[in-house]
Amino acid sequence: MKLNDGEGLMSQKVRELYEQFPYPLRDPGQEKDRLLMPPIDTLSRVNHYCFGGTKEFDATFRALVAGGGTGDSMIWLAEQLRDVGGSVTYLEPSAASTKVARARAEARGLSNVTYVNQTISEFAKSKPEPFHYINCAGVLHHLEDPEEGLRDLTSVLKADGAMGIMVYGEHGRLAVTEWRKMIEPLLEDKDLQQQLAMTRTLLSALPEDNMLLKMGGGSGFIKGLLENDPEIVDLLLHPVECAYDVHGVYDFASSADLHVAAFTGFFGFGGTGKAHYKIDNLVRDPAILRELAAKPLRDQQAFCERFSGAMPLHAFYLTREDKGQTAEMLPDAELAPYFFVPPNKTFFDDLVALAGQPVLIEDGSGNAVDLTGGPDLARLLAVFDGKKTVAELVAILRDEILDTQPIDMNSIAINTLGAVWALFHKFDWMLSSKPGGWQKTDGERTLGVRKI
């Protein structure tokens, strides 16, 4: 059945849902006290993974937030771009959600946002000037034809542009899938308010072994749901949704002639989710690890998804050029690695004091690596200032830090620098850009060292 304007019946139901329950629940009055910073839209990450660290973020930079909801991504992008004159277009068909997003932007004094009350399809047909970066998080999986939605977004993306996308994860969302199958026969002939009341009643009496409790990490997840109607509706009562496994993500990207540049973070305290897709973070057996490492990257990532069983979503960057295999490698010689997560005040002194002993380097958000380092590690890390290029760092390591030996010291220096980069890039503690380029650091985390 189709509506007169050509929009599907399910799409109209989605519009009605977000008019009743703008999502996510946000209070514009809180903008004075806090700034939400979705990791996927942090421009230092976007620059590193999507633009090879070479992007100029200036007054010509245009970002689109497609399906902007109550404004989390719009606010964060506009805040980052306000001082350089860049602009954000907020695209959202829900008037109720737009009202909240606009009030939040006004509370922050943001004037670099344009508001468009249309669907992705309607906006694409208007043929706007293309964008450098498009955010579309939690939206495409709610369209009747997600692939068509992605192609529409691609049509308004610059030739060298990039997207930050989030879709539901098939395996980690199994609890929701089973809940929806269970409750579907009870939803017929009930309006949304009646469905919500019934769902609240069922959630309040969940058995301890129900998968929803395990998915949420404990009863606190359900308690939070019961206090937040938009969360219940979006998670459990949405009329249209689909989910993807890792291979499905790659196929989804290919449907629009795009490539997965990298998986990244979406939730949380500044953290990154990309480490969950790395086999060496999950598998310790050397023989199995070697066998997995011989497989294509997407197969390794698919293994990680199934092995963990706990990825409720996938957040990732898409580009027209295939950059997925090079994203984790040591940056090109002319780029400058820098601390995206800055060391705390005692970091280098602690590394020197604990040289030769097992230590833990951690960022305060659950990400950590253990190692036994020497004073040379502290000396090397101290010169990662965002100004010295990889070529200059190799020369410093070769000529000033490593002992001169009658062998190819240049190769040793490159390999050593590559190992250090891999260690600190694992959780996005280091990123790269042009020397002195866009190097805004993480505002929530710092690196610390402690003895194990």
Side-chain angles (χ1 to χ4, degrees):
M1 177 179 179
K2 294 289 183 180
L3 302 177
N4 291 334
D5 63 357
E7 183 178 35
L9 177 61
M10 286 295 102
S11 297
Q12 181 62 27
K13 287 186 176 181
V14 172
R15 280 197 182 200
E16 293 170 355
L17 181 150
Y18 289 121
E19 292 297 349
Q20 292 185 61
F21 298 98
Y23 182 82
L25 184 64
R26 295 289 183 255
D27 178 4
Q30 294 182 340
E31 293 302 316
K32 297 177 182 178
D33 304 317
R34 61 99 172 92
L35 171 63
L36 300 178
M37 299 180 284
I40 192 173
D41 297 311
T42 298
L43 292 180
S44 293
R45 279 196 181 94
V46 173
N47 188 29
H48 173 79
Y49 287 110
C50 302
F51 298 108
T54 63
K55 193 64 183 173
E56 297 289 344
F57 295 92
D58 54 24
T60 67
F61 190 85
R62 289 166 43 80
L64 169 68
V65 179
T70 51
D72 286 1
S73 291
M74 176 268 283
I75 293 291
W76 179 219
L77 285 168
E79 279 286 356
Q80 294 174 91
L81 291 169
R82 76 151 94 202
D83 290 339
V84 297
S87 64
V88 179
T89 296
Y90 164 92
L91 175 65
E92 172 58 56
S94 164
S97 296
T98 302
K99 181 179 179 180
V100 176
R102 187 188 290 269
R104 293 177 66 188
E106 290 174 352
R108 304 195 70 89
L110 293 169
S111 59
N112 56 338
V113 180
T114 300
Y115 301 88
V116 180
N117 187 225
Q118 291 181 334
T119 65
I120 290 173
S121 176
E122 291 166 345
F123 185 66
K125 289 175 182 175
S126 73
K127 299 188 182 303
E129 181 184 344
F131 296 87
H132 298 90
Y133 176 68
I134 297 175
N135 161 281
C136 190
V139 176
L140 293 171
H141 53 227
H142 287 317
L143 299 185
E144 293 182 81
D145 189 341
E147 291 186 355
E148 181 181 9
L150 184 60
R151 289 192 293 270
D152 283 339
L153 291 178
T154 305
S155 72
V156 300
L157 182 71
K158 283 185 173 290
D160 61 347
M163 296 189 202
I165 305 291
M166 184 275 277
V167 295
Y168 290 147
E170 180 179 327
H171 296 282
R173 197 177 170 79
L174 182 61
V176 173
T177 302
E178 294 303 312
W179 177 280
R180 288 170 63 89
K181 290 178 182 177
M182 174 199 75
I183 202 173
E184 184 176 8
L186 302 176
L187 300 181
E188 190 174 353
D189 298 326
K190 291 183 177 69
D191 63 27
L192 192 54
Q193 289 292 346
Q194 292 171 322
Q195 294 177 14
L196 176 60
M198 181 183 63
T199 302
R200 276 183 166 279
T201 300
L202 291 171
L203 288 174
S204 67
L206 268 182
E208 292 182 1
D209 292 332
N210 186 278
M211 288 192 298
L212 273 179
L213 290 176
K214 295 179 174 63
M215 172 183 165
S219 59
F221 170 69
I222 297 302
K223 184 176 184 294
L225 273 183
L226 289 171
E227 297 172 352
N228 190 330
D229 287 349
E231 286 289 351
I232 296 177
V233 171
D234 187 76
L235 183 70
L236 301 176
L237 294 172
H238 206 290
V240 182
E241 73 168 46
C242 60
Y244 299 82
D245 63 8
V246 163
H247 285 297
V249 166
Y250 278 92
D251 292 343
F252 184 46
S254 295
S255 72
D257 294 324
L258 299 174
H259 299 274
V260 177
F263 286 93
T264 186
F266 184 75
F267 286 127
F269 170 60
T272 174
K274 75 166 190 176
H276 299 301
Y277 297 84
K278 293 180 67 63
I279 53 175
D280 57 355
N281 288 331
L282 297 175
V283 178
R284 294 292 179 263
D285 183 87
I288 297 176
L289 192 57
R290 284 195 298 272
E291 186 171 346
L292 285 169
K295 295 185 178 300
L297 178 62
R298 61 189 290 175
D299 290 340
Q300 296 178 33
Q301 294 165 336
F303 172 90
C304 291
E305 178 185 20
R306 288 173 170 81
F307 192 70
S308 75
M311 296 180 184
L313 55 82
H314 297 296
F316 48 92
Y317 295 119
L318 297 180
T319 53
R320 285 193 170 91
E321 181 184 347
D322 189 357
K323 303 181 180 183
Q325 297 290 341
T326 60
E328 301 301 313
M329 297 170 59
L330 184 66
D332 292 341
E334 69 274 10
L335 294 177
Y338 66 95
F339 279 102
F340 173 61
V341 180
N344 65 22
K345 293 180 180 179
T346 64
F347 180 85
F348 297 107
D349 290 339
D350 292 341
L351 269 184
V352 172
L354 295 170
Q357 303 179 58
V359 298
L360 199 69
I361 300 178
E362 53 192 352
D363 64 11
S365 68
N367 299 325
V369 295
D370 59 275
L371 55 83
T372 300
D376 286 348
L377 177 61
R379 291 177 59 195
L380 173 59
L381 293 176
V383 297
F384 280 82
D385 58 3
K387 300 177 182 178
K388 298 180 182 67
T389 65
V390 166
E392 291 168 332
L393 291 172
V394 167
I396 291 171
L397 183 58
R398 179 192 65 213
D399 301 334
E400 300 178 25
I401 297 178
L402 295 174
D403 293 330
T404 302
Q405 300 177 33
I407 53 178
D408 186 355
M409 292 303 298
N410 201 63
S411 294
I412 292 178
I414 292 173
N415 291 337
T416 302
L417 190 65
V420 171
W421 167 261
L423 182 70
F424 283 81
H425 187 235
K426 183 176 185 177
F427 298 113
D428 285 355
W429 293 345
M430 278 188 184
L431 299 176
S432 66
S433 78
K434 292 191 299 186
W438 187 275
Q439 297 178 357
K440 308 292 185 182
T441 57
D442 190 313
E444 296 184 296
R445 298 181 292 167
T446 58
L447 291 180
V449 181
R450 65 180 174 89
K451 183 178 180 181
I452 298 178

